[in-house]
Amino acid sequence: MEKINFNPVWKMSIRGEGKEYPATVPGSVYNDLLRSGRIEDPYYRDNEDAALKLMDNEFEYVGTFNLNQTDIADADEVLLRFNGIDTLADISLNGQMLGSADNMHRIWEYRIKEILTGGENEIKIVFHSPTKYIAEEFEKDPAILGTEDAMRGFPKIRKGHYMFGWDWGPRLPDAGIWKNVELLKVKKAGFTSTYIHQEFNKDMSRVSIRVRCKAFIEEFITEKPEIILNKDSGFDIKVSVTDPKGSVIFENADGYSDLTIDNPELWWPNGFGEHPLYTVKIGLFDKEGNLLDSSTKRIGLRKLEISTAKDEYGAEFAQVVNGVKFFAMGADYIPEDNMLPLCDADRTRKLLSDCVAANFNSIRVWGGGLYPDDYFFDICDELGLVVWQDFMFACANYRLTRHFEENILTELKEQIRRLSHHASLGLWCGNNEMEMFVDQGTWGAKFEIKSDYVKMYEYLFPRLLEEEDPDRFYWPASPSTGGGFDYPNDPNRGDVHYWEVWHGNKPFTEYRQFYFRYLSEFGFQSFPSMKTIEKFTLPEDRNVFSYIMEKHQRNAAANGKIMNYMEQTFLYPNSLDTLVYASQLLQAEAIRYGVEHFRRNRGRCMGTVYWQLNDCWPVASWASIDYYGRWKALHYFAKRFFAPVMVSCEEEGLLTQSLNVNAEPFDVKKSIKLNVTNETMEKKTGVVSWQLRDASGNILKEKEETISVDPLSAVWLEKTDMPDAKLYENYVSFKFTSEGETVSCGTVLFCAPKHFRFRDPELKVSVNGDEITVSASAYAKSVEIRNENDDLVLSDNFFDLNADSKTVKIISGKADGITVRSVYDIR
């Protein structure tokens, strides 16, 4: 197929208002009206409410374009393709109705050659109200329920669920032509699918590539929408392959035969090797040698699997690349904005590069949002991030009518075909949390809903994948043990979502009670940067219990929950700015406590993916990077606790025994047990040392030990009891050094920070070019460096000082108005 030069001029209107506004495509109602000054920023204060009310209207988009009939004279057909329509829309061309759309996750394509005219043509799209639609559908079928954080009826529309609200997102169900529109000229035939199969020999020194193509044949389009092409189909397939360095390996090779590559450059996840990409060009030719269609894809040569083998604990859940089991380290990704035109490849590249900077090797695309754009996967391919891809079903019950089945199977087929070639795509997952909730009868999930659940996720979806992506692992839900409502959140099998720390108000130490096989959700909230808060508030709003601050906190009573955990940990902050700092430390410490424990138990546990990476608007949430791209403390902690080689400490103290200062006096056990985990494929040898110190940083006792840690393993050192350590005055520092360099380090207390008798560390800071040096005269915990705009990204931040100094590199941002603080300043 050939793209026709096609640039309609678009205008939009609110039906009944009588006024037109310039429109952009791709774009959205909110974005067009915001650009025209018709609405105010939906993210500022409580403007969300007015923006939500606006969606009770209908909207009209009109695009006009000129066409020369000679441009399409040789075409057998012309297709008008909408790659994304959000969501309920009637589409017409030159006054003739083409059809209606009802799924934003699908392509909508129409055959229009006979409708096109020479000269001006007009596309008209009428968007119907998504809010009125779901309200009406809910009245018809109130049994179909979902999370109470979203608007009632949201499961009845195939639209990003998060747009109707979530416990971190606003109710802003935008509408519009959210992806590009294409005009395509068809001659004889065109590809509908190009699938690339890889098959390695035993030692992976050779790989055979086989393409499997499906196409529509224009002559038989009404009888057979598509066929699987073979040598007898009457068409030739030619394949060209270029290696990562740009050298052509195959040129116009026979696409019906296997292509063999010796000594392939293998694709590896971040931290395990390079991420080379081969380019595969597939051409469809008629027997006269005319090119009818083509497809170009970048692929990585790798074998990526999931092991669910039974073992002494239950059954493992481990990702395996090129025969190597690796520990997944990453976070859950949500859509980057509620106004989709504000998203682009540069913004996504920055976000994903920040993941790599924090030593991620994995990322999970959560099922209540959107299937990411092609550029998201292109970037993950380039950076070595393995993607867990949910299908877009989350926290809701669905009724499997005939129309719904056809609609979602078309949606899945198109997404699978679009994404299946990507090296980074690790697995498909049926849904987010529905096996668990349906099993519990949540949201009225009774027998019929349970039956429909099984049909969808355990029959229809895997059967479709057997046809469309047979090489990829499928997991029916997250969390799950493999389906069948077989204890889907079992700590000893499959993947787990664990929320007792946070939702259950359990202390951070609770993580140590479990040895989850793969933890795909766990999290803890914090407030975003003060500079972010200032973007959506007035000065009088800046109190965590104000109306506006609670509007930008979507998890019920969560600001109070943060304060509850804060009361257990820190002294009461003396300002909102200090409270924000303390909340970010709480979040970072909570997730650190979990990740370090699970990495110490590598082998039994093989993945920690925390909730969540990012925000879709400025809000208090579980994100480690806020809406404006500012790193919270958690993201710096992640860089340390996801480091390929990490030393950590399993301490005993008041946190593991009792924080009640009025408890009957008892003998508090005080000990440390160090561990070094090595998530590389090289043996690591070095020195582990620890120092018992007083609050001034003076060393009271110390010890060191040389150890070797095998590849992909974790090694425990002997437990050291410290009965003479003073609970409120002594702490332990520890580090792992190799070849004279500190690889990893940390400190632990035996009491809550609020009770530790910190000395004023008298922090001093200096700037020299792209380096910042901070020094302390005493123990300084969680030292934060920030500039006036709080947009610095540093090589390290929120680190501990043992009455010494540390120099960090400026990665981005300007060193203007640098200030520093530590836990000592939370008072």
Side-chain angles (χ1 to χ4, degrees):
M1 289 185 284
E2 178 186 339
K3 287 186 181 180
I4 300 172
N5 188 26
F6 174 68
N7 294 295
V9 176
W10 291 94
K11 293 184 178 180
M12 65 86 64
S13 61
I14 304 172
R15 298 194 92 185
E17 187 180 78
K19 185 176 182 180
E20 287 188 330
Y21 303 95
T24 57
V25 173
S28 78
V29 167
Y30 284 150
N31 191 58
D32 289 333
L33 294 179
L34 184 62
R35 286 159 58 99
S36 295
R38 170 63 175 76
I39 64 171
E40 297 182 9
D41 179 2
Y43 298 161
Y44 183 66
R45 302 194 81 224
D46 58 353
N47 287 346
E48 170 200 353
D49 294 344
L52 173 61
K53 183 64 178 173
L54 185 71
M55 297 315 295
D56 287 343
N57 292 287
E58 293 191 333
F59 306 91
E60 188 170 283
Y61 276 73
V62 176
T64 56
F65 63 97
N66 287 302
L67 181 73
N68 191 328
Q69 282 284 10
T70 58
D71 292 340
I72 60 172
D74 61 341
D76 292 327
E77 185 55 85
V78 176
L79 302 179
L80 178 61
R81 176 181 293 170
F82 297 90
N83 287 294
I85 291 179
D86 179 15
T87 294
L88 305 170
D90 297 326
I91 304 158
S92 61
L93 174 65
N94 296 333
Q96 184 168 327
M97 183 73 170
L98 298 179
S100 297
D102 63 356
N103 187 334
M104 77 176 295
H105 306 302
R106 280 183 55 182
I107 293 169
W108 297 93
E109 189 173 85
Y110 304 98
R111 307 170 73 79
I112 61 166
K113 184 179 180 183
E114 299 304 317
I115 307 174
L116 289 169
T117 63
E120 186 172 273
N121 292 265
E122 181 185 87
I123 303 169
K124 180 183 288 186
I125 305 177
V126 176
F127 288 93
H128 303 292
S129 166
T131 50
K132 285 186 175 179
Y133 176 82
I134 63 171
E136 292 167 0
E137 290 298 310
F138 180 76
E139 288 299 317
K140 295 176 188 176
D141 191 6
I144 299 301
L145 299 170
T147 175
E148 294 80 4
D149 295 300
M151 298 174 70
R152 289 184 300 179
F154 79 88
K156 302 292 287 186
I157 185 172
R158 290 309 295 155
K159 177 177 173 68
H161 287 346
Y162 81 106
M163 292 179 161
F164 294 101
W166 219 260
D167 57 3
W168 37 258
R171 296 186 181 101
L172 291 171
D174 206 352
I177 309 168
W178 75 287
K179 289 194 173 184
N180 64 315
V181 185
E182 298 174 299
L183 203 59
L184 303 170
K185 184 163 60 174
V186 177
K187 294 182 181 179
K188 295 185 181 179
F191 285 133
T192 56
S193 172
T194 52
Y195 188 78
I196 303 171
H197 170 73
Q198 302 176 31
E199 188 165 334
F200 288 88
N201 64 351
K202 190 172 183 179
D203 66 0
M204 302 197 70
S205 63
R206 175 178 298 171
V207 61
S208 294
I209 293 176
R210 183 184 315 127
V211 299
R212 186 191 65 177
C213 301
K214 296 180 182 179
F216 67 85
I217 311 300
E218 190 61 30
E219 182 180 357
F220 306 112
I221 191 68
T222 55
E223 294 86 9
K224 291 184 178 180
E226 69 177 10
I227 64 168
I228 299 174
L229 294 174
N230 56 44
K231 289 184 177 181
D232 300 322
S233 301
F235 297 90
D236 292 329
I237 297 175
K238 300 295 183 183
V239 180
S240 298
V241 180
T242 305
D243 73 14
K245 298 179 180 63
S247 299
V248 176
I249 305 174
F250 298 100
E251 187 168 15
N252 291 325
D254 179 15
Y256 295 122
S257 301
D258 289 359
L259 306 178
T260 300
I261 300 175
D262 290 322
N263 302 312
E265 297 181 51
L266 298 180
W267 186 94
W268 292 92
N270 181 43
F272 293 90
E274 299 301 314
H275 331 297
L277 298 171
Y278 290 72
T279 301
V280 179
K281 295 182 180 179
I282 307 168
L284 176 64
F285 295 83
D286 63 17
K287 289 301 182 180
E288 289 72 44
N290 298 307
L291 177 66
L292 306 178
D293 202 358
S294 63
S295 174
T296 301
K297 297 181 175 181
R298 291 192 310 168
I299 66 169
L301 300 180
R302 89 289 183 271
K303 192 173 184 181
L304 190 52
E305 306 164 291
I306 305 291
S307 172
T308 58
K310 292 183 178 180
D311 59 19
E312 60 185 304
Y313 308 111
E316 71 176 355
F317 192 93
Q319 293 182 301
V320 188
V321 63
N322 303 329
V324 176
K325 290 180 184 178
F326 68 95
F327 191 102
M329 301 184 289
D332 295 283
Y333 169 89
I334 65 170
E336 293 172 50
D337 218 296
N338 264 77
M339 291 193 290
L340 298 178
L342 302 183
C343 301
D344 59 33
D346 290 341
R347 180 175 172 182
T348 297
R349 182 173 293 278
K350 174 66 167 64
L351 181 65
L352 295 176
S353 295
D354 286 347
C355 293
V356 170
N359 294 309
F360 285 33
N361 58 36
S362 301
I363 192 165
R364 173 176 172 247
V365 177
W366 169 75
L370 307 167
Y371 300 96
D373 279 285
D374 295 312
Y375 59 70
F376 174 93
F377 282 90
D378 288 338
I379 296 165
C380 288
D381 291 345
E382 295 166 12
L383 298 179
L385 292 171
V386 176
V387 180
W388 171 312
Q389 177 66 58
D390 282 359
F391 290 125
M392 291 300 114
F393 304 86
C395 300
N397 296 326
Y398 305 92
R399 195 177 297 286
L400 192 63
T401 64
R402 178 63 62 84
H403 174 73
F404 187 74
E405 177 181 336
E406 292 173 352
N407 198 359
I408 61 174
L409 289 181
T410 300
E411 167 193 322
L412 265 62
K413 181 188 294 184
E414 290 176 357
Q415 298 297 342
I416 294 164
R417 291 179 174 184
R418 179 172 70 91
L419 300 174
S420 62
H421 68 281
H422 284 284
S424 57
L425 180 57
L427 65 92
W428 296 106
C429 179
N431 67 80
N432 175 75
E433 296 187 339
M434 284 317 303
E435 182 181 1
M436 176 177 68
F437 285 136
V438 169
D439 185 43
Q440 296 168 359
T442 307
W443 304 310
K446 295 186 179 179
F447 300 112
E448 184 180 354
I449 296 300
K450 202 166 188 176
S451 174
D452 284 350
Y453 175 93
V454 173
K455 291 173 189 173
M456 286 173 61
Y457 305 109
E458 299 184 15
Y459 177 66
L460 292 173
F461 292 7
R463 188 175 66 170
L464 178 66
L465 282 162
E466 285 175 6
E467 172 62 27
E468 297 294 339
D469 193 9
D471 297 340
R472 197 88 51 189
F473 182 84
Y474 173 71
W475 195 238
S478 179
S480 182
T481 57
F485 304 110
D486 181 18
Y487 191 10
N489 213 19
D490 187 342
N492 295 310
R493 295 177 296 154
D495 75 307
V496 165
H497 293 189
Y498 181 74
W499 282 102
E500 287 303 301
V501 177
W502 182 257
H503 288 308
N505 296 309
K506 297 286 188 181
F508 305 163
T509 52
E510 193 71 10
Y511 289 120
R512 294 183 183 174
Q513 305 302 312
F514 301 95
Y515 300 87
F516 303 123
R517 313 314 303 269
Y518 189 110
L519 190 51
S520 48
E521 269 195 33
F522 66 115
F524 197 96
Q525 275 205 9
S526 72
F527 296 106
S529 159
M530 273 302 299
K531 289 298 180 182
T532 294
I533 291 172
E534 289 169 4
K535 292 282 284 186
F536 65 82
T537 60
L538 291 171
E540 58 262 35
D541 302 324
R542 292 167 195 160
N543 181 301
V544 296
F545 298 121
S546 74
Y547 176 75
I548 296 301
M549 287 293 285
E550 290 189 343
K551 286 289 285 185
H552 287 254
Q553 165 58 275
R554 306 316 282 248
N555 184 213
N559 287 355
K561 190 183 293 286
I562 292 172
M563 298 306 294
N564 176 52
Y565 274 102
M566 192 171 297
E567 175 271 330
Q568 300 171 43
T569 311
F570 296 120
L571 294 176
Y572 195 83
N574 56 14
S575 68
L576 178 59
D577 183 49
T578 305
L579 190 154
V580 166
Y581 168 61
S583 79
Q584 292 195 12
L585 293 184
L586 274 175
Q587 178 190 38
E589 290 288 355
I591 304 305
R592 178 193 65 79
Y593 225 92
V595 172
E596 289 183 354
H597 166 69
F598 296 117
R599 286 195 68 188
R600 287 193 289 264
N601 291 279
R602 188 203 190 280
R604 187 170 178 180
C605 178
M606 287 301 291
T608 51
V609 178
Y610 65 77
W611 185 271
Q612 69 203 68
L613 171 62
N614 59 306
D615 285 325
C616 62
W617 76 313
V619 66
S621 78
W622 295 272
S624 63
I625 298 177
D626 77 17
Y627 175 73
Y628 294 106
R630 294 184 171 100
W631 286 29
K632 295 182 182 179
L634 172 55
H635 211 72
Y636 285 102
F637 273 50
K639 184 175 183 179
R640 295 194 288 267
F641 61 59
F642 283 157
V645 179
M646 178 193 68
V647 62
S648 64
C649 180
E650 183 177 274
E651 86 293 345
E652 282 186 301
L654 286 172
L655 268 69
T656 61
Q657 293 161 76
S658 174
L659 287 174
N660 181 5
V661 298
N662 294 310
E664 182 176 340
F666 65 98
D667 186 17
V668 179
K669 295 178 182 177
K670 300 183 291 293
S671 70
I672 62 167
K673 190 176 182 183
L674 298 176
N675 178 284
V676 178
T677 180
N678 177 14
E679 199 61 29
T680 76
M681 292 194 286
E682 297 177 353
K683 188 174 185 176
K684 298 295 180 182
T685 300
V687 176
V688 176
S689 61
W690 60 260
Q691 303 82 31
L692 178 67
R693 298 175 183 261
D694 64 20
S696 294
N698 298 312
I699 296 174
L700 308 176
K701 185 186 295 186
E702 61 183 325
K703 185 178 179 180
E704 65 178 42
E705 179 180 345
T706 300
I707 67 164
S708 292
V709 188
D710 288 335
L712 308 170
S713 70
V715 171
W716 287 97
L717 280 72
E718 289 295 322
K719 177 180 176 181
T720 301
D721 291 316
M722 296 190 169
D724 298 329
K726 295 180 180 179
L727 273 176
Y728 306 110
E729 299 175 24
N730 295 165
Y731 73 100
V732 175
S733 61
F734 54 89
K735 61 182 176 179
F736 177 70
T737 58
S738 182
E739 298 179 352
E741 297 290 328
T742 298
V743 177
S744 176
C745 61
T747 69
V748 292
L749 304 176
F750 296 112
C751 66
K754 66 179 181 179
H755 292 153
F756 189 79
R757 292 167 189 158
F758 287 102
R759 305 281 179 85
D760 183 352
E762 300 174 325
L763 296 175
K764 292 181 173 57
V765 61
S766 62
V767 180
N768 183 14
D770 65 347
E771 294 185 335
I772 300 174
T773 299
V774 183
S775 61
S777 63
Y779 175 41
K781 187 167 180 58
S782 303
V783 175
E784 180 193 21
I785 305 169
R786 56 179 179 165
N787 63 357
E788 287 179 346
N789 198 40
D790 201 8
D791 61 356
L792 279 177
V793 175
L794 304 171
S795 59
D796 198 8
N797 207 349
F798 298 92
F799 49 80
D800 299 340
L801 292 175
N802 300 301
D804 54 5
S805 64
K806 185 180 181 76
T807 298
V808 298
K809 288 276 189 182
I810 299 173
I811 307 302
S812 64
K814 296 180 180 179
D816 297 333
I818 295 293
T819 59
V820 291
R821 58 183 167 181
S822 71
V823 171
Y824 174 82
D825 297 297
I826 303 175
R827 58 187 59 235

